[in-house]
Amino acid sequence: LQENDRHILELLSSQNNDLFLRYFKSNLKKLIVSQYAEKGQFQNSKLPEDYLVNHITSSFVETISWWLSHNMEESPEQITEYFIATIEPIL
């Protein structure tokens, strides 16, 4: 996000970003299902698969929103560490 198209950053950080975030979240869910759930990555979890997919998706979108609201002061690597620390205990 930091190095790529500024239009995406503008969409994510705009006041009226609800429509874009819903679209982003919907497509991210599909990606998580295809890359993790369909490959059995969540089979050992104590939580239902659809709950995990929703939680990971929501956490990612909110992590990006939080990062943007803090003017991307943290590095992308630090944000990645925050995100992984958030979801790692549930996987």
Side-chain angles (χ1 to χ4, degrees):
L1 290 174
Q2 193 173 31
E3 296 173 3
N4 292 322
D5 195 353
R6 294 305 267 173
H7 296 294
I8 293 173
L9 290 174
E10 290 171 9
L11 283 170
L12 284 169
S13 60
S14 73
Q15 294 292 344
N16 300 315
N17 64 356
D18 292 338
L19 180 62
F20 178 77
L21 287 178
R22 278 195 309 266
Y23 178 76
F24 181 53
K25 187 176 177 182
S26 172
N27 284 287
L28 184 57
K29 276 185 180 183
K30 292 174 189 174
L31 179 66
I32 291 169
V33 167
S34 71
Q35 295 297 309
Y36 296 97
E38 289 178 357
K39 294 179 180 177
Q41 298 285 332
F42 301 147
Q43 287 180 345
N44 295 328
S45 176
K46 296 178 183 177
L47 302 169
E49 183 178 292
D50 61 333
Y51 176 83
L52 282 171
V53 170
N54 185 68
H55 178 71
I56 292 168
T57 303
S58 298
S59 293
F60 184 79
V61 170
E62 288 303 317
T63 297
I64 298 299
S65 294
W66 179 86
W67 187 41
L68 290 170
S69 73
H70 286 84
N71 298 314
M72 299 186 311
E73 293 172 0
E74 294 82 1
S75 69
E77 294 80 14
Q78 185 66 51
I79 294 301
T80 301
E81 288 180 25
Y82 293 168
F83 177 69
I84 290 173
T86 302
I87 66 166
E88 193 171 46
I90 62 168
L91 296 177

